[in-house]
Amino acid sequence: MLNAIVQNELKIADIESAEEVGAVLTLTRTATQAITTAGTTIVWQSEIRGYQIEWSGSDITIPATGWYHLSVALGHGALNDMVYRLNVNGTVVQIAPGIGDVNRAGSSAHFMRHFTEDDVVQINVLPSANVNITVSEEGNAVESPILNIVQLSGEVDVDDV
């Protein structure tokens, strides 16, 4: 009987030490933004939802070391090739081509990366021609601009919960 109790306590300890996943953030803009062929960093203006990820303007601060998925969607209302660049601490670390929607009124890109706590992330876009980002809410035909960040693995500071 004592052996069974000890085994159960060990199982509980294993569960308590398991990783918790949960930092999320969804940002948008409330006004258009001009995007130029020189490359433009998106300045976010409004948080739709968030948990444990802090942001200010274009800067998003990673709360804990681990793997994250980022997706960004922009409406630009023109037949326009778009390159998305992921900047971490001021350096471009990944580049993704924009994936056009059916009517080419917008595009999106996805990044998956292992970040370190307190990394500062920015999304920079490089269009083939100057264009303005359109603004429309989630659930519309061309949601724009939308940035989603989801923590896939790593630690979450439960004191912040």
Side-chain angles (χ1 to χ4, degrees):
M1 178 74 147
L2 182 57
N3 189 31
I5 292 172
V6 170
Q7 291 301 317
N8 283 335
E9 287 178 356
L10 290 173
K11 289 178 184 177
I12 290 170
D14 285 343
I15 291 170
E16 289 174 344
S17 68
E19 288 185 352
E20 293 186 34
V21 181
V24 297
L25 182 65
T26 301
L27 298 176
T28 190
R29 287 184 51 82
T30 55
T32 62
Q33 181 178 354
I35 304 297
T36 70
T37 57
T40 304
T41 299
I42 305 298
V43 178
W44 304 102
Q45 297 175 314
S46 179
E47 181 176 313
I48 296 172
R49 68 188 64 80
Y51 176 69
Q52 294 195 338
I53 300 177
E54 296 182 12
W55 67 281
S56 177
S58 60
D59 295 343
I60 298 139
T61 304
I62 299 298
T65 299
W67 283 94
Y68 291 77
H69 178 263
L70 292 82
S71 66
V72 61
L74 301 178
H76 37 83
L79 184 58
N80 195 336
D81 292 327
M82 189 78 68
V83 173
Y84 291 77
R85 300 185 285 200
L86 177 65
N87 294 343
V88 179
N89 302 323
T91 302
V92 176
V93 297
Q94 287 183 331
I95 297 173
I99 301 167
D101 65 6
V102 173
N103 61 11
R104 295 290 291 164
S107 61
S108 63
H110 302 270
F111 300 97
M112 191 166 69
R113 182 169 177 84
H114 188 272
F115 292 105
T116 301
E117 182 178 352
D118 294 328
D119 276 346
V120 176
V121 176
Q122 297 175 328
I123 300 295
N124 182 281
V125 290
L126 183 64
S128 59
N130 293 343
V131 68
N132 287 326
I133 295 175
T134 59
V135 176
S136 61
E137 296 178 2
E138 289 180 301
N140 287 314
V142 180
E143 301 164 324
S144 175
I146 301 289
L147 172 69
N148 289 292
I149 303 175
V150 178
Q151 181 184 11
L152 302 175
S153 69
E155 295 181 9
V156 173
D157 186 354
V158 293
D159 293 334
D160 292 340
V161 177

